[in-house]
Amino acid sequence: MADKKIVGVIGAGRIGKIHTEDLVKFVPGVKVKAIADINLDDKIQAWATNLGIEVQTADASEIINDPEIEVVVICSSTDTHAQFIIDAANAKKDIFCEKPIDYDLSRINDALNAVKDNGVKLFIGFNRRFDHNFMRIRKAIEAGDIGTPHIIKITSRDPGPPPVSYIKVSGGLFFDMMIHDLDQCRYQMGGEEVEEVTAKGAVLVDPAIGEAGDIDTAVVILKFVSGALGIIDNSRKAVYGYDQRVEAFGSGGCAMSGNDYPNTIQFLNDKSVSRDLVLNFFLERYAGAYIEEMKLFFKALQDGTEMLATGEDGLKAVILAMACKKSLEENRSVKISEIVG
Ligand SMILES: NC(=O)c1ccc[n+]([C@@H]2O[C@H](COP(=O)([O-])OP(=O)(O)OC[C@H]3O[C@@H](n4cnc5c(N)ncnc54)[C@H](O)[C@@H]3O)[C@@H](O)[C@H]2O)c1
């Protein structure tokens, strides 16, 4: 077997821990050599030691400057992504970076240029592309099973809002939450571009979210170049858990996915049939997708094939989020050409 790919992970928070554990446990041909977290503490060190990670540091440049490390996995806070992409690319390392790349188009372009100039690979963590249900719908569309796609409909509702302190620095619902759904719409349409968006938003869950300048409920309509339509609905609070569904409707039929449940048990009595609630949030619902995306990232590196979620995809999702924000603020439909010129 070929030598293992030597990996360094930056950021050991919620998602950094998930990716690191998945890499150690489930991805063959990979060795996580180092983890860097600016808030490195005894807990992170004990966790990393337990996983057999030899270098534990508060300084990410130790990863960037380590000649043995070939791949950098960026899981730190969003405001650090663009610079770490640039640093890792200049050090000739391949990169996995969590979404979003940044909230600023010029910083995203600087990062993508560094990737291009250095001839390295960049994969963006749009994990929902690798969800077992959503991949199956994409396969059906690709195979022509629903004919020509006319409508992609995404329901994406969280079980509860994050703290207002998080909302204030999140970039807002379109960038923080809907970004996944905006990418999912493009992914299901085989990368077809969106021409125009129309967004409506409301504060119906918690007035404090409105006071922080954000919305907690939104509906967006996307118009693709072919004339096909996308519809996304988001809510920060679904009392029954994490509601994640996709439906693709076309000239020859429809493919729709339901939610995932912790079990298949139904409870029946003389009044109703019921079951346990849907899986609670992203760590449970997308556990399989996180493993699959890492496997496919390293497989693409090994095979020298195209990345399945590229920097360009990351850029386009941010542009769509910007168009949604403008549409909401100006109460009108917004053409994508207004954002990118
Ligand atoms: N794809 C997904 O489903 C998904 C889910 C959650 C978060 N995310 C994304 O992942 C990123 C991290 O989110 P999270 O929820 O894990 O946040 P988090 O706050 O739990 O973790 C971020 C970690 O990065 C560390 N960090 C910050 N600056 C650093 C630096 N300069 N060097 C090294 N470490 C640094 C922090 O100390 C923290 O431990 C965000 O960009 C978020 O949008 C993606």
Side-chain angles (χ1 to χ4, degrees), residues 10-16 19 36-40 44 58 60 74-81 84 98-100 103 125-127 166 176 180 282 286 290 293:
I10 302 177
R14 286 185 309 174
I15 204 73
H19 287 322
D37 194 292
I38 203 164
N39 295 311
L40 188 77
I44 295 177
I74 303 170
C75 303
S76 43
S77 333
T78 301
D79 59 337
T80 65
H81 292 180
F84 282 141
E98 260 310 333
K99 48 53 63 178
Y103 301 121
F126 283 127
N127 57 296
Y166 174 95
D176 179 56
H180 278 292
F282 63 92
Y286 291 120
Y290 293 128
E293 75 175 343

Side-chain angles (χ1 to χ4, degrees), residues 234-251:
N234 278 178
S235 169
R236 285 285 192 188
K237 185 169 183 178
V239 292
Y240 46 88
Y242 196 38
D243 193 358
Q244 297 287 294
R245 290 172 282 144
V246 172
E247 180 176 329
F249 171 81
S251 58

